[in-house]
Amino acid sequence: MVIRLFCAAGMSTSLLVAKMQEAAKEKGKDAEIAAFPISELERMIDGTDVALLGPQVGFQLAKAKSICEPKGVPVDIIPMSDYGMCNGMNVLKFAYKLAKNK
């Protein structure tokens, strides 16, 4: 599963990515997880299974959907509490739930 996180600069989510990778390893999930600036969304969406937006760029959800949905990629905003607490396990579960519902 390829999970891409998009935020303001691609740096604020790097800690969350690390926590998600730990959670994936713990659960025995094969997941490729990386963070990018929201400006890279269009360029990075091919080959992506799930796109997650950081809460700080949540206002761009409609634009993200217009890019992701035609390619069959589910996209949503990471819940603020999980983002703020860097809860990698919850965000990983959120990503898998989105992928299952597509």
Side-chain angles (χ1 to χ4, degrees):
M1 166 110 93
V2 177
I3 304 167
R4 303 271 186 250
L5 283 67
F6 296 93
C7 63
M11 294 162 70
S12 56
T13 53
S14 59
L15 184 58
L16 181 56
V17 166
K19 295 284 187 181
M20 288 175 71
Q21 288 168 336
E22 286 173 23
K25 194 174 184 179
E26 192 178 301
K27 287 284 183 188
K29 301 269 188 195
D30 185 23
E32 178 188 319
I33 308 163
F36 300 92
I38 188 76
S39 60
E40 296 287 310
L41 178 67
E42 206 160 356
R43 192 174 73 77
M44 298 304 300
I45 205 61
D46 287 335
T48 300
D49 294 307
V50 177
L52 300 176
L53 303 184
Q56 73 276 37
V57 295
F59 67 94
Q60 295 195 42
L61 182 60
K63 181 181 178 191
K65 282 185 175 190
S66 73
I67 294 167
C68 296
E69 286 179 352
K71 295 181 181 276
V73 178
V75 59
D76 208 345
I77 302 165
I78 299 167
M80 178 63 97
S81 57
D82 292 330
Y83 187 87
M85 298 294 287
C86 253
N87 190 325
M89 186 63 78
N90 280 0
V91 178
L92 185 71
K93 287 177 185 174
F94 181 67
Y96 272 87
K97 185 177 170 190
L98 277 176
K100 202 162 73 168
N101 292 338
K102 76 171 178 178

